[in-house]
Amino acid sequence: SNAAEMQKVSNDNYIEQGQHPPLSLTRGRVKTGAFGPVAMVIQVLFIVAFWPTDYDFVSSSVFDETVMYSFLGSILTLLLAGMGFLYAYLRSYGLSAVGMALFQIALGLQWALLVQGWMRQSTIELAFTFKDFSQATMAVFTSVISFGVLAGKLSPLQTLVLVMGEIVCYAGNKVWLLDHVLAFKDNSSSVTVCAFGAYFGLAASLVYGPAKDQVASAMVSGTYVSELFGFLGALIMWINWPSVIISELETGSAAQRMAIMNTIFALLSSTVIAFAATTMPTQRLYTSVALASLAGGVAIGATANLQLRPGLAALIGAVAAGLSCYCFKAPFGNTIPFDTFNINAIFGVPGLFGGFVSVIAPMFVPGCSLDWTKQLGGVLWTFVFAVISGAVTGFVLGRLQPPAVAYTDECYWEPADDIPRKANPGSVGAAFE
């Protein structure tokens, strides 16, 4: 009883100072449970599933494969370094952010290759090309986006379930409905990936609920160093974003060159608007400018390969950045407990906006081959399906054991002793204002 009383006094002292106690004192440091055995079994099953498969070096030229590999490298850099460092913004969540990004890519890329291959080729004897790898990275991208909504609230096992479940949902929506039924076109970008990942994650988070630990919730803020890492992640994404949009277009085609130029103009415009809009009305800059600057790239994806001309591409980027900045101002109140990194503002709203631009594009873009009815159907269906499938996934995640304390590496990792535990008073989500 004396030991318990001493521990309670020690914990109270930490809390009074605005810190969460070391998890070794609160017994919040837990084991990863079934995560290791489950991950090992899944990898063994992957090896068995890959055994009858092979590579396809016949259907594409050496030049195309070399170019596709460079695109693949850019996309993987965006996912691992870009998204990983972006999520490292949280002061005590850097190891989980980068580490779980690596795990999601390693697990999800294999799963996506199999699932999409089975759906497209209708056989277990698959033959993989570099384009298959590129398409698989887009499936993983949706999972990493959704992870940003739930970041800090999931255990490693819950993250595994999120990746496996979402990739199946993404592949079913992309391969069976958008490609085969609706012939929906957005270069696997604005709606197919960004909006789907955002609203899948938001629906899952709403059903799953906020973190239960209020002391840990105060850690949803950054330090000066972690904010720099978050900014660096956004810059890496900014640089590599054109590769996301052009990866599925024909190598060296006019459409691919058009997409590169349109994406650059959209990113340039959205960046300037993000800096301008963020300073109004507080006359101060926030790190959200780096995130809002990506909005132009997200929005332009659905129409990047069309003959938009520089002015129209810049306009789409500017409007997308304005919408993103408005969402960062939290017009619906504090959404951080349900959307850790304000993914709705980064990917959700700009993605939907880009989708609706593709709906009206046939009216003002010369030579546009898009069917506005199919585009509208694809946008609406993807949103509805993302919400429904995300809600189901959130329900499943809620049945699994969550972290004992949220938003900190201490729960599952062995971090250095100087891991930040003190939260800045009133700073929860300050960088996302």
Side-chain angles (χ1 to χ4, degrees):
S1 60
N2 290 337
E5 183 66 25
M6 292 177 62
Q7 179 174 313
K8 182 179 185 303
V9 172
S10 177
N11 291 350
D12 290 343
N13 289 338
Y14 276 101
I15 295 173
E16 287 175 1
Q17 298 174 24
Q19 306 180 44
H20 73 72
L23 300 190
S24 57
L25 295 181
T26 62
R27 297 179 182 178
R29 180 175 293 171
V30 297
K31 297 180 179 180
T32 54
F35 168 72
V38 171
M40 186 170 294
V41 169
I42 289 176
Q43 184 57 52
V44 171
L45 293 176
F46 282 168
I47 294 173
V48 173
F50 282 122
W51 202 258
T53 66
D54 203 347
Y55 305 112
D56 178 7
F57 295 128
V58 177
S59 59
S60 58
S61 66
V62 175
F63 172 77
D64 289 342
E65 291 170 354
T66 303
V67 173
M68 285 300 301
Y69 177 72
S70 67
F71 293 157
L72 180 63
S74 294
I75 298 171
L76 290 176
T77 300
L78 183 150
L79 290 176
L80 182 55
M83 300 290 280
F85 285 144
L86 175 64
Y87 296 160
Y89 161 80
L90 296 186
R91 58 180 52 230
S92 303
Y93 199 68
L95 292 176
S96 297
V98 180
M100 295 315 293
L102 175 60
F103 174 75
Q104 289 181 80
I105 293 170
L107 177 78
L109 193 55
Q110 297 179 84
W111 183 226
L113 281 169
L114 290 171
V115 172
Q116 293 188 122
W118 292 332
M119 290 182 179
R120 286 194 171 98
Q121 301 181 33
S122 301
T123 177
I124 62 172
E125 298 180 353
L126 304 175
F128 299 116
T129 66
F130 275 110
K131 186 173 183 179
D132 293 322
F133 276 92
S134 177
Q135 292 172 340
T137 58
M138 293 297 99
V140 178
F141 200 173
T142 61
S143 173
V144 177
I145 290 173
S146 298
F147 179 76
V149 179
L150 293 149
K153 302 189 296 182
L154 297 182
S155 68
L157 181 60
Q158 288 174 310
T159 304
L160 183 152
V161 172
L162 173 68
V163 175
M164 299 289 286
E166 183 166 3
I167 285 177
V168 173
C169 296
Y170 165 85
N173 182 60
K174 164 68 175 171
V175 176
W176 284 340
L177 186 83
L178 297 184
D179 287 352
H180 291 170
V181 177
L182 290 178
F184 176 82
K185 298 178 181 179
D186 77 334
N187 303 311
S188 294
S189 182
S190 299
V191 178
T192 309
V193 171
C194 296
F196 182 90
Y199 292 109
F200 184 100
L202 285 166
S205 183
L206 288 172
V207 174
Y208 181 80
K212 304 297 188 295
D213 191 298
Q214 294 303 313
V215 177
S217 296
M219 299 298 288
V220 189
S221 59
T223 64
Y224 185 72
V225 173
S226 69
E227 286 185 352
L228 286 176
F229 273 110
F231 213 108
L232 174 62
L235 294 181
I236 293 173
M237 294 176 66
W238 198 97
I239 294 170
N240 290 284
W241 197 266
S243 295
V244 173
I245 296 175
I246 67 175
S247 61
E248 292 198 12
L249 296 173
E250 182 182 351
T251 303
S253 64
Q256 191 178 68
R257 297 195 297 271
M258 184 73 69
I260 293 173
M261 298 302 291
N262 284 334
T263 303
I264 292 174
F265 272 102
L267 285 169
L268 295 174
S269 178
S270 66
T271 301
V272 174
I273 294 299
F275 272 85
T278 302
T279 60
M280 300 184 295
T282 62
Q283 306 298 307
R284 302 285 293 176
L285 285 167
Y286 297 91
T287 52
S288 58
V289 297
L291 307 177
S293 66
L294 297 170
V298 174
I300 198 68
T303 53
N305 59 320
L306 304 181
Q307 297 181 17
L308 300 180
R309 304 179 69 87
L312 187 51
L315 176 62
I316 292 173
V319 175
L323 292 172
S324 180
C325 288
Y326 174 75
C327 293
F328 272 116
K329 297 293 183 181
F332 308 109
N334 179 26
T335 60
I336 298 301
F338 296 96
D339 186 1
T340 305
F341 286 97
N342 216 329
I343 294 299
N344 182 53
I346 306 172
F347 298 105
V349 171
L352 286 181
F353 169 68
F356 285 115
V357 169
S358 73
V359 174
I360 63 175
M363 305 176 188
F364 57 85
V365 177
C368 179
S369 61
L370 297 178
D371 184 329
W372 73 269
T373 58
K374 293 181 178 179
Q375 294 300 113
L376 179 61
V379 173
L380 296 179
W381 167 254
T382 297
F383 176 80
V384 172
F385 183 69
V387 170
I388 294 174
S389 57
V392 173
T393 303
F395 177 81
V396 174
L397 294 176
R399 308 281 76 78
L400 302 175
Q401 182 66 36
V405 179
Y407 307 114
T408 177
D409 288 332
E410 281 194 285
C411 202
Y412 296 106
W413 295 76
E414 290 291 340
D417 293 335
D418 60 348
I419 181 174
R421 294 193 180 94
K422 186 176 180 59
N424 295 331
S427 68
V428 179
F432 302 112
E433 294 178 358

